[in-house]
């Protein structure tokens, strides 16, 4: 079992995970007001793969990624879609499960919904009122920020730089502009509400996560994660709520950098598409996963056709390696090459270096560099027996399907693919989407590339 270290946003230091403890990880999931974009996929991939790596090392990891299905943005988007907010949120939640399912990485251990956690949310707010950290006002409940001395410790902001980003109408109900809402009274234009001791209403976003994390992982857990855009106010407020209520809460705060759109125009024809589902259709799941781990998780990552084409090329390089070296031809080097070589590392030492990189603040680019070094050495005949090491490495980052032998698609699938091309040419995108689903049911993923559409076995 390796010692695994993670950079903690709160202390700025590397923190070692306790191998004796369950490693509970709570990562903030999407607010389901639209289809998710590739930026939302980054924390999903980073935390799914971190949990996978920890388990492979023998840690007891438990990953929770929530779904925020009660939120201002959902009411607004549902109104625009002329749909009841509940049904709209259900539809978008299903789309999120489908899109992230197509990444082929499995599911988190728990995916709680805010709508299913109302009891825990109300209980937590009750505790805060009883302790003097929150107050009811006009059917709303607010957190009394100045009652929590450690407020601001995560984001290191002065109070002048703190804007809770709440609607102007709530200002008159607050004791202090710094305070933020835990519960909001039902409004005329909202088509759902829940009962509470303070009247019908709905929870604020921040308290939803404090309550869902506690419900799934208990009052104290190892890692709280999410995008760096959530540090303030969302995570600052989660700390205030949970710690003021006497919970120890997260021991390490782990934030991923943002995906940055290129300066070019966003368009499908440019390949500069931003929705996860579209990116998966165009580039395939392996390239999307490879792209999302191509930079260190804490750094921003540039998105656009260039980086995606590079990811396609990298995954093809690995696929070709398995095509050439699997089966009878397993990349055996001659005895002279094995002895002499050019002093290259053995497959075993590359594999160890790969795992060491992941244990060192989950450094995926450094880990993947080991994969490509070993692939290059094997292709040049400098090492033998590289196939199993490369297979173990790519499986750890969710790319094990690159090692699978391809079969021909067969008549039915090829005929459907041709029909889909005709439908697209006729701009009948509804039919084209139907055919993509039919092909998926047959076990094929359609991948659109510059050379036309092709069929790839689904993960
Ligand atoms: Zn959250």
């Amino acid at each position: 079992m390796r010692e695994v270290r993670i950079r903690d946003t709160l202390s700025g230091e590397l923190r070692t995970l306790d191998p004796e403890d369950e490693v509970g990880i709570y990562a903030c999931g999407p607010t389901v007001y639209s289809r998710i974009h590739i930026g939302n996929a980054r924390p999903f991939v980073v935390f799914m793969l971190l949990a996978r790596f920890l388990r492979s090392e023998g840690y007891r990891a438990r990953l929770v990624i929530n779904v925020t299905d009660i939120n201002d943005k959902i009411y607004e988007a549902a109104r625009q879609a002329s749909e009841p907010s509940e049904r709209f949120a259900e539809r978008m939640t299903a789309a999120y499960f489908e899109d992230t399912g197509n990444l082929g990485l499995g599911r988190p251990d728990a995916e709680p919904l805010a709508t299913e956690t109302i009891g825990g949310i109300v209980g937590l707010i009750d505790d805060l009122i009883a302790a003097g950290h929150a107050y009811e006002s006009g059917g709303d409940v607010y957190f009394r920020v100045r009652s929590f001395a450690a407020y601001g410790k995560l984001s290191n902001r002065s109070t002048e730089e703190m804007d809770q980003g709440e609607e102007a109408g709530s200002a008159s109900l607050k004791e202090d502009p710094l305070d933020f809402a835990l519960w909001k009274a039902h409004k005329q234009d909202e088509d759902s509400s829940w009962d509470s001791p303070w009247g019908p209403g709905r929870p604020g976003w921040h308290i939803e996560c404090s309550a869902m994390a506690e419900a799934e992982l208990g009052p104290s857990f190892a890692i709280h994660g999410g995008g760096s855009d959530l540090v303030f106010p969302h995570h600052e407020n989660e700390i205030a709520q949970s710690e003021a209520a006497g919970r120890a809460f997260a021991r390490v705060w782990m934030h991923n950098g943002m995906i940055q759109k290129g300066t070019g125009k966003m368009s499908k024809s440019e390949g500069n598409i931003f929705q996860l589902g579209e990116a998966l259709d165009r580039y395939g799941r392996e390239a999307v996963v490879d792209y999302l781990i191509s930079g260190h998780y804490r750094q921003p990552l540039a998105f656009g056709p260039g980086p995606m084409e590079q990811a396609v090329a990298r995954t093809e390089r690995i696929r070709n390696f398995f095509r050439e070296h699997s089966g009878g031809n397993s990349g055996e080097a001659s005895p002279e090459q094995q002895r002499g070589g050019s002093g290259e590392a053995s497959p075993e030492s590359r594999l160890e270096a790969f795992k060491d990189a992941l244990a060192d603040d989950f450094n995926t680019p450094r880990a993947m560099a080991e994969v490509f070094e070993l692939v290059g050495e094997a292709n040049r005949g400098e090492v033998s027996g590289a196939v199993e090491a490369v297979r173990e490495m790519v499986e750890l980052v969710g790319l094990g399907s690159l090692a699978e032998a391809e079969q021909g698609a067969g008549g039915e699938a090829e005929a459907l693919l041709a029909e889909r091309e005709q439908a697209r040419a006729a701009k009948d995108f509804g039919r084209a989407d139907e055919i993509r689903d039919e092909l998926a049911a047959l076990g094929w993923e359609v991948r659109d590339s510059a050379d036309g559409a092709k069929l790839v076995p689904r993960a």
Side-chain angles (χ1 to χ4, degrees):
M1 187 186 265
R2 278 175 176 69
E3 186 178 284
V4 175
R5 292 170 306 278
I6 300 292
R7 177 76 61 187
D8 172 30
T9 308
L10 201 155
S11 63
E13 289 167 6
L14 282 172
R15 286 285 156 86
T16 303
L17 299 183
D18 184 348
E20 303 298 321
D21 258 9
E22 177 185 85
V23 182
I25 306 171
Y26 182 91
C28 288
T31 299
V32 284
Y33 66 94
S34 65
R35 294 296 283 252
I36 68 161
H37 55 74
I38 193 129
N40 304 117
R42 191 178 196 190
F44 185 90
V45 168
V46 165
F47 291 104
M48 285 297 291
L49 294 180
L50 174 64
R52 178 185 295 220
F53 171 63
L54 290 172
R55 281 186 200 111
S56 77
E57 287 292 319
Y59 289 81
R60 288 177 296 124
R62 176 169 162 78
L63 174 62
V64 180
I65 303 182
N66 75 292
V67 176
T68 296
D69 62 345
I70 308 173
N71 191 278
D72 297 13
K73 288 178 181 170
I74 295 172
Y75 287 116
E76 179 59 32
R79 266 193 292 275
Q80 301 221 338
S82 305
E83 199 175 349
S85 64
E86 200 177 336
R87 198 188 317 149
F88 179 85
E90 276 172 17
R91 204 159 54 78
M92 286 302 150
T93 302
Y96 159 71
F97 286 145
E98 185 187 340
D99 289 341
T100 48
N102 286 336
L103 287 163
L105 302 178
R107 302 300 319 167
D109 299 293
E111 300 180 273
L113 307 178
T115 49
E116 293 172 351
T117 319
I118 300 294
I121 293 168
V122 167
L124 188 53
I125 297 174
D126 251 342
D127 288 358
L128 287 167
I129 293 175
H133 290 292
Y135 55 94
E136 189 270 343
S137 176
D140 290 0
V141 180
Y142 292 95
F143 185 88
R144 190 175 275 129
V145 167
R146 290 190 199 273
S147 76
F148 182 66
Y151 194 78
K153 68 178 177 177
L154 181 70
S155 56
N156 290 311
R157 291 186 184 215
S158 64
T159 48
E160 295 81 61
E161 294 174 300
M162 289 177 181
D163 177 357
Q164 297 289 358
E166 297 188 345
E167 63 216 301
S170 63
S172 61
L173 296 173
K174 295 183 182 184
E175 292 177 358
D176 186 313
L178 268 185
D179 296 350
F180 60 88
L182 302 173
W183 188 265
K184 299 182 189 184
H186 178 247
K187 294 187 184 63
Q188 284 294 317
D189 61 348
E190 294 173 355
D191 64 356
S192 63
S193 67
W194 290 264
D195 289 331
S196 82
W198 321 286
R202 63 185 174 86
W205 172 35
H206 318 305
I207 198 80
E208 294 173 0
C209 276
S210 276
M212 285 187 274
E214 184 173 338
E216 295 293 343
L217 298 172
S220 172
F221 54 94
I223 299 174
H224 193 314
S228 58
D229 56 335
L230 300 182
V231 169
F232 186 88
H234 187 52
H235 290 164
E236 195 73 73
N237 291 351
E238 281 189 51
I239 290 175
Q241 295 160 161
S242 294
E243 294 190 5
R247 279 71 160 171
F249 213 49
R251 293 190 284 279
V252 172
W253 286 84
M254 183 175 174
H255 289 101
N256 66 271
M258 296 292 98
I259 301 283
Q260 296 180 330
K261 293 186 234 184
T263 46
K265 186 166 144 267
M266 300 294 287
S267 79
K268 281 195 186 193
S269 59
E270 295 293 315
N272 203 7
I273 47 186
F274 206 52
Q275 277 196 352
L276 174 60
E278 291 175 332
L280 285 165
D281 280 352
R282 184 168 189 123
Y283 300 106
R285 59 164 292 276
E286 289 108 347
V288 171
V289 171
D290 175 274
Y291 159 71
L292 287 169
I293 60 169
S294 64
H296 189 269
Y297 75 88
R298 279 160 42 85
Q299 301 300 321
L301 189 59
F303 178 77
M308 290 310 301
E309 303 290 337
Q310 287 165 19
V312 170
R314 282 192 299 268
T315 51
E316 280 308 304
R317 195 162 164 231
I318 299 171
R319 209 190 299 277
N320 286 333
F321 162 81
F322 284 112
R323 278 191 195 118
E324 275 177 37
H325 296 283
S326 292
N329 177 9
S330 61
E332 290 302 311
S334 67
E336 299 77 47
Q337 286 169 325
Q338 286 186 43
R339 264 198 314 276
S342 46
E344 305 290 351
S346 69
E348 291 71 30
S349 64
R350 291 281 180 209
L351 176 59
E352 290 303 300
F354 175 94
K355 293 177 180 177
D356 287 345
L358 294 183
D360 181 14
D361 198 19
F362 207 55
N363 195 327
T364 53
R366 210 173 86 208
M368 291 307 286
E370 296 292 336
V371 173
F372 290 106
E373 289 289 342
L374 182 53
V375 163
E377 287 158 9
N379 287 344
R380 293 191 297 273
E382 294 166 1
V383 294
S384 64
V387 170
E388 283 316 307
V390 176
R391 191 195 310 274
E392 188 174 340
M393 291 193 255
V394 295
E395 274 173 2
L396 274 173
V397 290
L399 297 173
S401 56
L402 293 173
E404 284 160 19
E406 297 146 288
Q407 325 108 339
E412 186 186 2
E414 294 290 353
L416 278 168
L417 184 66
E419 195 188 334
R420 177 175 175 274
E421 291 304 287
Q422 287 167 9
R424 281 165 64 92
K427 300 212 183 310
D428 182 356
F429 296 111
R431 178 63 191 140
D433 283 349
E434 274 174 30
I435 296 172
R436 191 188 56 201
D437 293 342
E438 287 169 35
L439 283 164
L442 291 172
W444 295 98
E445 180 186 312
V446 181
R447 194 168 300 175
D448 294 311
S449 72
D451 317 321
K454 54 182 180 173
L455 294 172
V456 180
R458 274 164 63 91

